[in-house]
Amino acid sequence: LGQNDYARRRSLEGNTRMFRKVNAVYFSPTGNSKKTAITMAEAIGEEVETIDVTVMPSYAEFGEDDFVVFAAPVYAGRIPNVAKERFEKFRGSNTPCIIIATYGNREFDDALLEMADMFSGRGFVIKGAAGLIGRHTYGEIQVDRPNEEDLVQCRTFAAQAVANDKAWPEFEIPGNRPYRDGMTKGSHHPTVNESCIKCGLCVRACPVGAIDEDCETVSDLCISCFRCIRNCPVGAKEIITEAYLKFAADFTEKLKERKENKFFL
């Protein structure tokens, strides 16, 4: 769909409800969840408030006249523990929302169901759910996604979710209970090379405080999100161990076939 088609669809579907506030709340170490959450939120309302819990916890209460888009990445088939801990601080009061799990072309497994259970138990009414493809943290997997085609799909879905008369659990969200075992800590830990200028960006931006004042990774804390690698302005953060490089190459080959986004209403 092009932008004109998208605008016409919103009109045809009667998406005329005005919300007091549209919010995009996301845990997004490498930007996939942020991009999709903001895209959907902007499709719902002209003024969007963003709440980034990637580095710092936040707290907010929402009412019936608010709309919230929650987004997080999938780690080993679950949302990261740190994301869950930060999302648990938010409360709704019959507040409509969309939940998004972004994943790197493997599967989202139990992550969406886990989010649905969590937010429905905190006063939110789930109007739609999405498992969205984004660049994988490891290897060279779907490196150009989410692309514009993906974002157009997000905009159309957001409009449909707002107009949706149903709310979960009236529609099915894939997953299993009990949830599969998630990731307790990362397996691949970035190092710092001689290019480091000690700017401290990686220290300040690490979601779990796993980088010390010398820009070295504290492996016991690291969740292997690779935020530091993606954001370093001089390319000083890297992971070049033989074990990781082999794993990344094998993983890239395994997940080379494109998958499509999945939407649930």
Side-chain angles (χ1 to χ4, degrees):
L1 293 174
Q3 280 297 114
N4 291 336
D5 296 318
Y6 160 70
R8 284 194 293 270
R9 174 168 287 191
R10 284 192 70 175
S11 177
L12 287 171
E13 289 176 343
N15 181 19
T16 58
R17 177 176 175 182
M18 297 297 293
F19 294 100
R20 181 175 66 90
K21 187 170 59 175
V22 180
N23 308 267
V25 182
Y26 49 84
F27 179 87
S28 186
T30 56
N32 294 334
S33 297
K34 174 182 178 180
K35 182 179 289 187
T36 54
I38 292 176
T39 296
M40 286 201 192
E42 288 178 343
I44 296 168
E46 293 183 358
E47 294 187 12
V48 173
E49 180 172 331
T50 61
I51 304 177
D52 185 351
V53 299
T54 310
V55 177
M56 292 294 295
S58 186
Y59 170 80
E61 293 186 357
F62 303 103
E64 292 185 13
D65 293 330
D66 297 317
F67 198 103
V68 187
V69 180
F70 291 104
V74 177
Y75 288 7
R78 300 276 301 278
I79 64 169
N81 287 337
V82 60
K84 184 175 181 179
E85 291 169 1
R86 292 173 187 177
F87 284 152
E88 286 175 340
K89 297 180 181 296
F90 293 89
R91 294 290 185 275
S93 179
N94 204 33
T95 306
C97 76
I98 292 171
I99 55 174
I100 300 169
T102 58
Y103 67 108
N105 212 48
R106 188 188 66 79
E107 290 293 343
F108 55 83
D109 295 307
D110 301 334
L112 266 184
L113 183 62
E114 180 181 19
M115 293 178 75
D117 288 339
M118 176 172 58
F119 289 119
S120 65
R122 285 166 174 75
F124 294 94
V125 178
I126 299 167
K127 305 295 284 184
L132 304 179
I133 303 295
R135 179 182 179 179
H136 202 290
T137 301
Y138 307 143
E140 298 295 317
I141 302 165
Q142 298 297 304
V143 296
D144 63 338
R145 299 181 73 187
N147 57 26
E148 184 54 34
E149 179 185 353
D150 295 318
L151 298 181
V152 169
Q153 291 178 13
C154 287
R155 296 181 189 110
T156 300
F157 172 74
Q160 292 173 330
V162 170
N164 187 19
D165 290 333
K166 294 183 179 180
W168 185 78
E170 292 181 82
F171 59 90
E172 183 179 358
I173 294 177
N176 296 286
R177 301 186 191 91
Y179 315 129
R180 61 181 288 154
D181 292 337
M183 186 185 75
T184 56
K185 65 178 182 178
S187 302
H188 308 288
H189 310 302
T191 56
V192 61
N193 64 35
E194 66 277 2
S195 300
C196 182
I197 59 175
K198 308 298 182 185
C199 67
L201 176 62
C202 61
V203 179
R204 297 188 297 273
C206 180
V208 291
I211 302 177
D212 65 23
E213 61 183 12
D214 293 321
C215 300
E216 296 284 357
T217 302
V218 181
S219 58
D220 286 346
L221 299 176
C222 177
I223 59 173
S224 301
C225 70
F226 286 16
R227 181 178 175 90
C228 56
I229 293 178
R230 300 281 175 83
N231 290 351
C232 180
V234 295
K237 298 295 288 189
E238 61 186 8
I239 180 163
I240 55 174
T241 64
E242 183 177 346
Y244 171 73
L245 294 177
K246 182 180 187 308
F247 163 78
D250 291 345
F251 211 44
T252 298
E253 177 64 22
K254 181 179 180 180
L255 300 182
K256 66 181 181 181
E257 297 299 326
R258 173 189 171 97
K259 285 192 174 182
E260 300 302 328
N261 301 309
K262 296 181 180 179
F263 299 96
F264 306 94
L265 289 167

